[in-house]
Amino acid sequence: MGLTELLSLYGQNYLQALLTTWLMTIESFALVMIIAVGITVMRVSPMRPLRVAGDLYVQVFRNIPGVALLIIVVYALPSLRVVLDYRVCVVVTTVLLGSAFGSENFMSGINTVSAGQIEAARALGLSFSKILRRIVIPQALRSCVLPMTNLLIAVMLTTALGSQVPLNPTELTGVVSYVNTRVTGGILAFLISAIGYAGTALVIGAVGNRIDKKVRIYR
Amino acid sequence: MSTSAPASRSVRDALYEAPGPRTRRRVRIATAISLILVVAALAAIGYRFYITGQFAPRYWTFFAKATTWKFLLQGFAGTVRVALTAGAIALALGLLLMLGRISHVKALSTVCRIVTDFFRSLPSLLLIYFFFLIVPQYGIKMSSFWMLTLPVALAASGVLAEVFRAGVNAVPKGQVEAALSLGMSPLRTTFKIVLPQAIRFVIPSLISQLVVVVKDTTVAYVVSYPDLMQNARVLITNYDALVSVYFTIAIIYILINYAINQASIYVSHRLGVKIIR
């Protein structure tokens, strides 16, 4: 099947799939950032139970395979009488996975600030909140830009889990299987989706690199 | 990773002044409250299991049977086979892509860069659909093992190429210049001076990338290859026990990947090199 034929028949589906992937990526990434901040605050708090809980959260969701988590959210939670919409399931799974990595990025950002700086700030009489606001957070955020760019791309790739559940409209990976159950789309049916992902990743990467160049601290 | 690095402890703790008696009391109270909250959250989850009857013995007793574990172990062997084969292919392919990318032949370097970036920016599920749905349309028959292993390997090779490149960049430029000025050919310099050191730099990162490979193998059910996940699904239909099996399998995967991560941290300490992600 040629490109023009494929596009005239299913162009609308691909376009909608691309938009769905973008939308799910944006929603997930926004939630990832919020939860990652919360988890990171827990992990640097002086309360030991919170630290342990935060570390455990990160270890669990960093190491669980995405498909396994998705299946638990989709099929096991209803047995525990928690029923979610399929699309919500995919976003929840992506957010749980992404926030663990996001918190790791924040932690290594915090670790780029040397302990000596914090001690110096304290010796100068800065309060705890001022140390956080003026010394730690600005430096941590600046050194997080590239890892977070990569995380945004990873979140986009994770939303491909949506192909494993019935979504309407489906996302960019699911649409390949949708098209191929109807016609023999051939390699083009795959390439259109692939270009959608690769192109988006290229743009995200370029923007991330630009921001990183502007704000990075050279040590 | 940051949980076990000694540096992270110091920054975590440097944030706080040595507490006085009042602060100590406040922290103690907050600790108690947070402990109660954490326990309450866990109890709430446990309660949900209880009221929905998920602790009923019929969901758990079959885990005491040897046949259950033998079946899961067979699945695990399948997972290991796919992960190791895909890992080996990805290592070779990643190294080739990186060597092509750092070569001075402009066309080769551009092609390798595009291929690397392409594989890196695709979800492995899409690659699996490619081998599962698209390749057979051209009359090529593949076993389910290769329909799973090849996409996992391709997805990993792009990432590994970047890991190798980071290792090459970590080798001091002066060494290359020294080797060239001693009259070594560029090819010899790459293979005798740069690569041995670069590979040493990236060994821990390569180990930690195995986690990604193991995670990717879990989509085996798409091509119905009998890996740990697929065998777990069979177990579920046999015993009609969905929640208990999925939670057990998830914990097994978490432990495997946690072990791989710890191994990579251990090796990185032993070699004195950092893990590149």
Side-chain angles (χ1 to χ4, degrees):
Chain A
M1 188 175 248
L3 181 63
T4 41
E5 204 186 344
L6 196 63
L7 279 183
S8 67
L9 273 177
Y10 294 106
Q12 198 63 34
N13 297 70
Y14 277 106
L15 202 63
Q16 225 165 31
L18 182 64
L19 287 179
T20 309
T21 291
W22 281 352
L23 208 63
M24 287 201 326
T25 305
I26 294 168
E27 288 167 17
S28 305
F29 192 69
L31 290 171
V32 160
M33 282 295 118
I34 295 169
I35 293 175
V37 168
I39 297 291
T40 312
V41 169
M42 279 170 70
R43 293 173 77 193
V44 298
S45 78
M47 279 77 84
R48 236 189 116 63
L50 289 187
R51 279 191 187 193
V52 172
D55 285 349
L56 189 71
Y57 178 95
V58 169
Q59 286 303 341
V60 166
F61 292 114
R62 247 181 76 170
N63 288 322
I64 194 169
V67 176
L69 185 59
L70 178 75
I71 288 174
I72 286 180
V73 172
V74 174
Y75 298 107
L77 286 192
S79 305
L80 301 172
R81 286 189 214 136
V82 180
V83 185
L84 302 171
D85 181 54
Y86 280 126
R87 195 172 181 283
V88 177
C89 284
V90 176
V91 172
V92 164
T93 308
T94 311
V95 169
L96 287 174
L97 296 170
S99 55
F101 288 95
S103 173
E104 283 293 81
N105 290 349
F106 279 135
M107 284 300 277
S108 51
I110 289 173
N111 282 329
T112 58
V113 184
S114 69
Q117 287 192 29
I118 298 166
E119 283 158 14
R122 187 168 299 127
L124 287 171
L126 267 70
S127 67
F128 176 68
S129 70
K130 246 191 177 157
I131 293 177
L132 275 188
R133 273 186 295 127
R134 294 280 171 81
I135 313 283
V136 179
I137 292 175
Q139 294 192 62
L141 283 185
R142 278 162 167 244
S143 60
C144 274
V145 173
L146 269 195
M148 287 307 178
T149 309
N150 290 334
L151 181 64
L152 177 56
I153 296 174
V155 163
M156 174 179 74
L157 301 189
T158 312
T159 60
L161 285 174
S163 61
Q164 302 306 301
V165 293
L167 278 188
N168 190 27
T170 182
E171 46 62 71
L172 212 43
T173 298
V175 79
V176 174
S177 124
Y178 174 88
V179 168
N180 275 290
T181 50
R182 280 158 186 81
V183 290
T184 42
I187 199 160
L188 279 172
F190 157 82
L191 270 184
I192 297 172
S193 281
I195 288 168
Y197 280 113
T200 312
L202 202 68
V203 172
I204 295 173
V207 173
N209 269 325
R210 256 194 116 121
I211 300 175
D212 179 63
K213 280 225 175 73
K214 276 218 175 98
V215 302
R216 178 185 216 151
I217 305 159
Y218 291 93
R219 290 172 210 275
Chain B
M1 179 196 132
S2 49
T3 49
S4 59
S8 75
R9 289 238 182 281
S10 71
V11 173
R12 268 191 193 187
D13 296 328
L15 277 174
Y16 308 103
E17 262 173 288
R22 231 173 74 194
T23 317
R24 263 207 296 269
R25 199 168 57 233
R26 270 207 220 126
V27 169
R28 259 205 302 276
I29 293 169
T31 302
I33 294 172
S34 64
L35 183 64
I36 291 168
L37 285 178
V38 170
V39 171
L42 290 178
I45 296 171
Y47 183 66
R48 272 231 93 74
F49 272 78
Y50 176 72
I51 56 166
T52 50
Q54 291 299 333
F55 285 132
R58 75 176 188 90
Y59 289 129
W60 299 93
T61 41
F62 61 87
F63 279 116
K65 285 191 203 158
T67 48
T68 303
W69 291 104
K70 210 180 138 206
F71 187 58
L72 285 180
L73 210 63
Q74 279 169 4
F76 179 67
T79 296
V80 170
R81 255 198 308 278
V82 173
L84 289 186
T85 317
I89 295 173
L91 270 183
L93 205 57
L95 192 60
L96 283 178
L97 280 174
M98 183 278 288
L99 285 173
R101 186 164 176 184
I102 62 168
S103 93
H104 295 293
V105 184
K106 190 104 186 150
L108 181 65
S109 141
T110 310
V111 168
C112 286
R113 203 192 70 220
I114 292 171
V115 172
T116 306
D117 287 347
F118 185 69
F119 284 140
R120 245 162 37 105
S121 57
L122 294 190
S124 37
L125 268 167
L126 184 64
L127 285 170
I128 287 184
Y129 277 158
F130 175 74
F131 283 95
F132 178 56
L133 297 170
I134 312 276
V135 168
Q137 290 176 14
Y138 294 91
I140 302 164
K141 282 209 170 65
M142 289 171 105
S143 67
S144 62
F145 175 80
W146 289 109
M147 276 201 278
L148 175 63
T149 305
L150 284 182
V152 172
L154 287 183
S157 67
V159 181
L160 290 191
E162 286 299 283
V163 170
F164 279 125
R165 202 163 64 94
V168 166
N169 287 339
V171 177
K173 284 270 173 304
Q175 292 197 18
V176 178
E177 288 160 8
L180 291 175
S181 66
L182 282 174
M184 282 172 86
S185 69
L187 208 64
R188 216 172 132 79
T189 310
T190 303
F191 283 95
K192 290 274 173 186
I193 309 288
V194 179
L195 269 191
Q197 298 186 72
I199 288 174
R200 202 184 112 93
F201 287 146
V202 298
I203 287 173
S205 318
L206 295 180
I207 298 174
S208 76
Q209 285 302 325
L210 193 56
V211 172
V212 182
V213 173
V214 170
K215 282 185 191 167
D216 279 352
T217 61
T218 50
V219 285
Y221 67 83
V222 173
V223 297
S224 21
Y225 178 78
D227 79 329
L228 183 54
M229 194 70 163
Q230 171 68 14
N231 280 10
R233 292 163 77 97
V234 175
L235 218 56
I236 287 168
T237 40
N238 282 358
Y239 290 101
D240 188 28
L242 192 134
V243 177
S244 57
V245 172
Y246 272 139
F247 271 86
T248 311
I249 293 300
I251 290 169
I252 293 174
Y253 272 113
I254 291 169
L255 290 179
I256 294 169
N257 288 335
Y258 181 75
I260 297 173
N261 270 325
Q262 291 306 110
S264 129
I265 292 169
Y266 173 77
V267 173
S268 85
H269 283 316
R270 278 296 293 268
L271 295 175
V273 296
K274 265 189 166 165
I275 299 174
I276 309 155
R277 281 181 204 288

